[in-house]
Structures are given as C-alpha cells and as structure tokens.
Amino acid sequence: MKNILASLKRKRIKKKTINAILNSEQYNNSVVNLHRIDKNNVGDFFCAPHLYFDVLKDKSLDIFDYKVDNKTTTNNFIEKISNNSLIVGGGGLLNRSGFSKQMKLFEKLTDKNKKIVLWGLGHNRKDSSTYNNYIDYNIELSKFGLVGTRDYNMPGEYVPCVSCLHPIFDTEFTSTQETGIIFHKDTLKKDNLVKRLENYATSSNTTNLNEMISFIGKSETIVTDSYHAMYWSMLLNKKVIAIPNSSKFYDFKYKPVFSSFDTFEDDLKKAKSYSGILEECREINHNFAEKAFNYLNLS
C-alpha cells in the first residue's frame, strides 16, 4: 500500500511540474544541459557536454528532478527549463519509459520557440524484440533546432557520446590480463551469475571513472553489459564482447561481438579491436559543438 501511495504521489508531482512549465512563458536567456546525473552510474554521469566545454560549465540539470518530492528541487527545474535554451543529452533517453514524459515536454516546448539541442542521446528500449531492428523514435526530431544522436543508423546527425573528449582517454595503458568483465549495476544484483564468473577479473559501472578506465586499459578483451563500458573500451582499441540489455547496443557505428554471459567464452576469439575511433568521435563532437554554440548564440 505504501508503494502504491508513493507511486501516485510521484505521478502527481510529475504532472504538476510539467503543467507548470507548459503554462509558463518560455525564454532562451542562457542554456542548461539536461541528462541523468547519477553518481552510481559512471556512464550516465560523464555523458554530458557541460563537463567538456567551458561555455557550459555549471549549467547542468538532472532530467529526473521533475519528479522529486521536494518543492525547491521541482521549482528549480521549472525555473531552469522555462528561462533557458536546452541541451538534452547524452545517454539513452529515447524510447525509454522513464524519460518519455520529459522528452515529450521538450518536444512541446519547441512550439513555444524554445531552442533545444539534442546531443549524443540514443534509443534505449528494453523490449528484446526491438534489438537490432530499426525503430522509430518516440519524439519528432524535426521539431528540434539541432539533433545529434549516437545511433548511427537512425534519423539525425550521427554524434557519438561526448565523453570521448575526456582527457583520460589519452592515457597509455599496458595490458596485464586477457579478459575483464564489467557488469551493469543491475547485473551486480544477480548473485548466482557474479559467483559463477568469480574467476574472471571484474568491475562494474558503479565504480569511478579512473578505476573503470584503468580496468579497461589493462584488459585485452572486455565483456560487458554496460553501454559506456563497451564504448570506452572501443575508444581504447580494446576487443569487446557486448551482452545487450536494451536496444542501445546495436546502433553504435562500430560493432562489438554480441553474446551472453552464458556463451561469451565461446565467442572470445571472434572479438576484434578498431583503430582511430577516439580521434573520429572527438572530431565529430567538436564539429557538432561549433554548430550547437552558434545556434544557441554562445560565445
């Protein structure tokens, strides 16, 4: 009963926050970058442009703040959205129920002359029947001022995750282990699976960036069900076996070997590395940044 009441309360907060924004005058005074600010998910935390460009420094907002049971937080969300142009992304914000209300809100705000840039976000459907299949986005991209998605085969300009700009990827590493496994935070809850793979070196996306990149750097092959662990491993020229848990794994330009935690050992020899991905992703993001900042009138 307590959970039901809490859920109903969150629904009321979401509706009230969204309606307050839709009923407010909209301005493009400055800019705010929305993404999922989750310190327990290193990929979500580091996938946002505000971390890599001085003009966006300290201009961030958690996309989940619209449902927080705290008036100060929701009022700040309403004020920031209503008064500023928006950069939305990165992360798997599209075709995911947890973000659909926010993304639909942003789409409606474009009718009020709100300047909105979508930067490095992508689809993230959990329905396995959609994996590796072309799917429509749950928003109309043409309504937004500038669109860059991390999904190579989908509509919009291809813009891989901006986290490639982090200087940590310039570090040189020496491989000291053949295979490393990086678990998504949800997979860590599967005690039997983690126990079964205890003979392998393991990490997870709940660790900090330095520890994760160091773990990737010392591994020749990474096995993972974390999108950013897959992406960052490719940036570091590692062989990658991906264990998909949503549609997001299938639309990166460069393909890993797809497998499962039950069969990956049979697929280890199939994995290959790519060269030049880091440089390519950085160039794409710098070029997109120039267009975005011109559109948003940022110097």
Side-chain angles (χ1 to χ4, degrees):
M1 185 66 176
K2 183 182 291 186
N3 290 337
I4 294 175
L5 291 175
S7 177
L8 291 173
K9 187 173 185 178
R10 282 195 300 273
K11 287 182 179 179
R12 289 196 297 270
I13 294 171
K14 293 175 186 178
K15 184 176 181 180
K16 184 177 180 180
T17 303
I18 290 173
N19 286 340
I21 294 171
L22 290 175
N23 291 324
S24 298
E25 290 292 327
Q26 296 298 311
Y27 303 95
N28 295 293
N29 294 327
S30 183
V31 64
V32 64
N33 181 189
L34 293 109
H35 68 113
R36 180 68 184 101
I37 303 176
D38 183 358
K39 293 182 179 180
N40 293 317
N41 185 323
V42 67
D44 284 346
F45 189 82
F46 282 98
C47 70
H50 71 89
L51 295 170
Y52 308 102
F53 297 94
D54 289 341
V55 71
L56 300 177
K57 187 176 181 180
D58 299 324
K59 296 180 178 180
S60 62
L61 191 63
D62 192 337
I63 197 168
F64 272 178
D65 277 357
Y66 85 121
K67 65 178 181 179
V68 174
D69 186 12
N70 180 290
K71 286 187 177 180
T72 299
T73 300
T74 52
N75 285 341
N76 179 66
F77 189 89
I78 294 166
E79 185 271 331
K80 290 286 182 66
I81 298 297
S82 299
N83 286 311
N84 297 296
S85 299
L86 310 179
I87 294 176
V88 184
L93 305 181
L94 299 174
N95 300 77
R96 185 68 178 270
S97 59
F99 303 111
S100 62
K101 292 183 184 299
Q102 303 97 306
M103 297 308 301
K104 285 294 186 182
L105 166 65
F106 303 148
E107 182 180 342
K108 290 178 181 177
L109 291 179
T110 62
D111 293 329
K112 295 190 171 190
N113 297 316
K114 178 70 72 178
K115 287 190 172 185
I116 303 180
V117 173
L118 306 184
W119 191 329
L121 71 175
H123 60 70
N124 190 13
R125 288 187 67 171
K126 287 294 187 179
D127 179 1
S128 60
S129 67
T130 67
Y131 291 4
N132 205 23
N133 292 321
Y134 182 94
I135 55 176
D136 293 329
Y137 286 134
N138 61 339
I139 55 173
E140 181 57 54
L141 296 188
S142 63
K143 300 191 75 171
F144 294 86
L146 190 62
V147 177
T149 74
R150 68 186 189 184
D151 303 324
Y152 188 69
N153 295 304
M154 293 290 285
E157 182 177 351
Y158 173 61
V159 180
C161 179
V162 72
S163 59
C164 63
L165 297 181
H166 199 291
I168 198 169
F169 296 107
D170 295 314
T171 307
E172 293 187 8
F173 297 97
T174 300
S175 297
T176 59
Q177 60 192 29
E178 289 187 7
T179 304
I181 299 176
I182 300 178
F183 295 117
H184 186 277
K185 65 178 183 178
D186 292 337
T187 309
L188 284 178
K189 302 173 186 177
K190 300 177 180 179
D191 294 336
N192 291 338
L193 172 61
V194 174
K195 177 70 173 176
R196 178 162 59 83
L197 299 174
E198 64 181 359
N199 290 331
Y200 285 95
T202 62
S203 184
S204 76
N205 66 348
T206 63
T207 188
N208 63 60
L209 183 67
N210 287 335
E211 289 182 0
M212 179 183 279
I213 299 305
S214 177
F215 183 86
I216 293 172
K218 66 183 180 182
S219 305
E220 293 184 6
T221 302
I222 289 293
V223 179
T224 186
D225 60 342
S226 160
Y227 178 91
H228 279 92
M230 175 192 77
Y231 176 53
W232 294 340
S233 297
M234 288 186 173
L235 295 182
L236 291 173
N237 301 325
K238 300 298 179 177
K239 300 174 184 177
V240 181
I241 292 182
I243 315 295
N245 57 30
S246 93
S247 62
K248 62 187 175 183
F249 289 84
Y250 288 95
D251 252 334
F252 185 52
K253 181 178 179 180
Y254 299 92
K255 304 302 181 186
V257 171
F258 294 106
S259 190
S260 70
F261 282 119
D262 292 326
T263 62
F264 77 87
E265 291 170 314
D266 296 330
D267 294 324
L268 286 171
K269 292 183 179 179
K270 300 177 185 178
K272 65 178 181 178
S273 60
Y274 300 90
S275 60
I277 298 180
L278 177 62
E279 294 77 13
E280 177 184 314
C281 291
R282 284 178 167 176
E283 181 179 6
I284 291 172
N285 271 279
H286 280 301
N287 290 339
F288 188 78
E290 183 176 359
K291 287 185 283 188
F293 298 158
N294 284 337
Y295 169 67
L296 296 170
N297 297 317
L298 299 175
S299 57

